[in-house]
Structures are given as C-alpha cells and as structure tokens.
Amino acid sequence: MSEQRQQILILHLASSDLASKTVAWALYDGASEEDALPMQSGDEKEPPYNSVVAAMRAGWNVIQLATLPQIIPGHEHESSYLPYEYVLERKVAINE
C-alpha cells in the first residue's frame, strides 16, 4: 500500500518572471525518514531547478507567487529579504 507525503520547495528568483534564474532555495521533505537530516543552507552549490518554470515541468505545483516589492523613495539601496519568493509543493508516494 502506498501513502502520499508532501514536499515543499521554496525558490527565490532574480526577478518576478517565473522563468528567471533561481538565486536561493530551500527544500522541506515530508517524505524523508524521520531521523534524516533536513536540508541546510549551503548544502548544494547548484539549485534543484534553474527557475520556477523548470520545477513546474518536473511536476511541482506553485502554491504561492511572490508579492512585488514596494520600494520606498530614499531606501532603494537598503538590504532586506529576497523579494521574489515562490512556494511550490508536490506529493510523492511512500511505500510502506
């Protein structure tokens, strides 16, 4: 019997275009073993997908689009969070 588990992939892109380059990412794998180490920042040098479109073609579903940043005049050069964040998910079968 097969059970389904969820995986969440967060991709930060260079721009709001779904085909733009991935610059940062995180993967949360509900299908991994309970004692498996979660992904850590810097584990991989290359992103799992080059863009959101590439992840979609591999079966990931987009569940959150990035909100476009509001630039306040006079604060254009301040650092903040990465603005183009997309959340994707997919279900994978677990054989028990």
Side-chain angles (χ1 to χ4, degrees):
M1 176 175 231
S2 162
E3 183 180 333
Q4 297 248 323
R5 299 276 171 82
Q6 185 179 39
Q7 295 176 322
I8 298 291
L9 176 64
I10 300 171
L11 297 179
H12 294 271
L13 304 184
S15 75
S16 61
D17 180 0
L18 293 174
S20 68
K21 181 181 175 185
T22 299
V23 297
W25 62 94
L27 173 66
Y28 299 92
D29 189 354
S32 65
E33 297 293 326
E34 192 169 327
D35 59 349
L37 293 174
M39 187 195 107
Q40 300 293 315
S41 296
D43 279 353
E44 301 288 331
K45 290 185 179 186
E46 295 297 320
Y49 300 98
N50 290 329
S51 68
V52 169
V53 172
M56 291 167 58
R57 288 184 178 132
W60 289 87
N61 301 304
V62 178
I63 60 174
Q64 178 181 318
L65 297 175
T67 303
L68 295 179
Q70 294 182 346
I71 305 299
I72 301 169
H75 298 271
E76 297 89 346
H77 302 288
E78 291 182 7
S79 296
S80 185
Y81 62 93
L82 296 172
Y84 306 111
E85 177 183 83
Y86 294 85
V87 179
L88 301 96
E89 70 91 33
R90 71 178 174 186
K91 304 283 184 170
V92 294
I94 302 297
N95 296 321
E96 294 184 4

